[in-house]
Amino acid sequence: SIISCSLFYRIKKFGIIIALVAALVTIVVGLTTIWGWFQTPVEKVVAEVEFFPFIPPPEDQNSYIRGVWKVSIKNQGELEASSISIKLPNSIRTKIEREGVDPEVKEIKEVIDLGSLRSEEAITITAWTNTIPTKADAERIRLTHKTGSGSVRITAPLGPPWQWLAEYWILLVPGLF
């Protein structure tokens, strides 16, 4: 009886030690993994987008171009980002400018394949549309690369007062009462 009680106590003590060691190993592995996530260099591709209507010159009033996207894309990460593309709704023609390379003008259908960007490298894009770009169109812009997606910052155009009123009319309602 004393032997079985002593044996039971030793097995119980050994089980607690094993559980504590397993818990400690799990915690160390978890913390090491999380620390690795913070230390891993990543691609951080960011696009800043402006949009506005396009008014064709008087000699070209039959132009099918109605709007313009102005986009600046930069890799703010530490690694090269590859297979970069951006979707600009209703885009039909684009001019892509990279430092040290002649501008490239081409016909497109919304998606522009840009290739790779080294760390801190930037691209400037002018894309012409067959419709006037809207805020709803701007919300559909997507920037992607091989390992995920980039962030898109929209700069709303400053237009005539009625455009502001159309978007923020609800702010004027309390003033009426």
Side-chain angles (χ1 to χ4, degrees), residues 56-69:
E59 65 272 4
D60 193 19
Q61 288 299 315
N62 295 327
S63 174
Y64 56 93
I65 296 174
R66 296 289 176 250
V68 178
W69 297 108

Side-chain angles (χ1 to χ4, degrees), residues 29-177:
V29 168
L31 290 175
T32 304
T33 301
I34 292 170
W35 180 258
W37 291 341
F38 288 116
Q39 298 302 314
T40 302
V42 295
E43 305 95 351
K44 184 178 179 190
V45 183
V46 177
E48 293 188 9
V49 180
E50 290 181 87
F51 61 96
F52 41 89
F54 177 77
I55 300 169
E59 65 272 4
D60 193 19
Q61 288 299 315
N62 295 327
S63 174
Y64 56 93
I65 296 174
R66 296 289 176 250
V68 178
W69 297 108
K70 293 288 280 184
V71 183
S72 176
I73 300 174
K74 185 173 184 177
N75 180 0
Q76 296 177 342
E78 299 171 6
L79 298 177
E80 180 176 293
S82 59
S83 302
I84 299 171
S85 67
I86 187 165
K87 178 183 178 185
L88 297 172
N90 306 314
S91 296
I92 53 175
R93 180 180 292 155
T94 186
K95 179 170 80 171
I96 302 168
E97 299 173 272
R98 292 177 184 252
E99 190 174 314
V101 179
D102 289 337
E104 177 185 3
V105 177
K106 60 183 177 179
E107 303 293 318
I108 59 164
K109 290 193 177 187
E110 295 193 357
V111 177
I112 306 167
D113 293 317
L114 301 168
S116 299
L117 274 179
R118 293 182 309 276
S119 179
E120 300 302 317
E121 185 180 9
I123 296 176
T124 302
I125 299 169
T126 303
W128 292 273
T129 64
N130 57 5
T131 63
I132 295 174
T134 64
K135 188 175 179 181
D137 290 332
E139 291 171 356
R140 292 183 17 233
I141 295 173
R142 296 291 176 260
L143 177 65
T144 59
H145 51 87
K146 187 175 182 177
T147 59
S149 61
S151 62
V152 177
R153 293 186 208 135
I154 307 298
T155 304
L158 183 61
W162 56 85
Q163 286 180 340
W164 183 90
L165 187 61
E167 190 166 338
Y168 300 106
W169 64 270
I170 194 72
L171 299 174
L172 299 176
V173 173
L176 298 175
F177 298 106

